Amino acid sequence: MKSNYLFFLSMLSLLICFSCQQEKSKEGNSVNFDWLIGEWLRSNEEDGKMTYEYWQKISQKEYKGLGCTVFAGDTTFKEDLKIHRSEGAWWLKVTGLDNSPVSFRIVSVKKNGLNAENPDNEFPKFIKYRLIDDQLKAFVSDDNNKIEFVFDRM
C-alpha cells in the first residue's frame, strides 16, 4: 500500500511539473528571437542593389525590424517588421510600401528559427527565418514559388 501511495505522489509531482512547463510555453516566456538581433546585409542580391535587415529587441514580447533595398543611391523598397506576442500567440507583422500591414502567425519556433504563415495572403503565404553558421536565411513562399534571402552579419 505504501508503494502505491509513493507511486501516486510521484506521478502527481510529475504531472504538476509538466503542467507548469506547458503553461510557461503557452505564455511564450521561454521563447526568444534574440538570434535575429543585429544588422544584416543580403549576400545573394542582384548586382548594384544593397538589401539590409535590422532587428532589435524591444521587450520580452516584442522585436522590431526594418528591411530596405537601396539601388543607385535611392531606397527602392522598405518594410517595417515586428515580432510580437498577442492573443496567446506569436506574430510576424510586415508593413510594406503600401502601408497595409500583413500578419503571419508564427506556427513553430526553433532555437535559431521560426516558421510563420498566413494562408489568406496572396504572396507570400509562408515565411521562414533560420540562423545557420552566422548567416540569416529568410524564405518567402507560397505553394508554387519560393524566394531565398541570404544575409551576412554586418
Side-chain angles (χ1 to χ4, degrees):
M1 183 70 170
K2 186 175 183 180
S3 63
N4 285 343
Y5 180 71
L6 288 175
F7 177 75
F8 175 74
L9 282 179
S10 298
M11 296 310 288
L12 183 60
S13 296
L14 284 173
L15 182 62
I16 290 170
C17 289
F18 182 72
S19 296
C20 291
Q21 280 300 103
Q22 289 286 30
E23 192 61 35
K24 185 176 181 181
S25 295
K26 285 180 188 173
E27 287 303 310
N29 294 335
S30 62
V31 173
N32 79 62
F33 302 95
D34 291 355
W35 48 270
L36 272 173
I37 296 171
E39 300 177 355
W40 301 91
L41 174 63
R42 186 175 179 190
S43 60
N44 66 336
E45 184 56 274
E46 297 173 22
D47 288 340
K49 290 184 178 181
M50 303 284 282
T51 296
Y52 305 91
E53 271 199 23
Y54 305 95
W55 283 96
Q56 63 179 330
K57 185 174 187 173
I58 304 302
S59 71
Q60 290 296 105
K61 295 183 178 185
E62 183 178 2
Y63 293 76
K64 284 196 176 182
L66 171 69
C68 64
T69 300
V70 177
F71 179 70
D74 290 325
T75 301
T76 59
F77 176 79
K78 179 184 172 277
E79 63 185 1
D80 293 307
L81 306 162
K82 180 179 177 182
I83 293 175
H84 64 105
R85 182 119 177 112
S86 175
E87 301 170 11
W90 283 98
W91 298 88
L92 170 62
K93 181 177 168 183
V94 180
T95 306
L97 294 173
D98 61 3
N99 291 324
S100 55
V102 179
S103 291
F104 296 82
R105 185 182 181 112
I106 297 176
V107 294
S108 70
V109 177
K110 299 178 181 181
K111 180 182 176 188
N112 292 323
L114 68 85
N115 293 341
E117 62 183 43
N118 179 341
D120 297 327
N121 194 46
E122 185 175 338
F123 186 88
K125 293 184 182 300
F126 310 101
I127 299 176
K128 293 181 184 181
Y129 275 97
R130 299 286 185 272
L131 180 63
I132 303 169
D133 297 329
D134 212 35
Q135 276 192 322
L136 182 63
K137 296 187 177 189
F139 306 89
V140 295
S141 63
D142 62 12
D143 295 327
N144 302 312
N145 303 297
K146 182 177 181 180
I147 302 170
E148 179 181 16
F149 298 83
V150 179
F151 295 92
D152 293 322
R153 194 177 294 275
M154 293 175 42

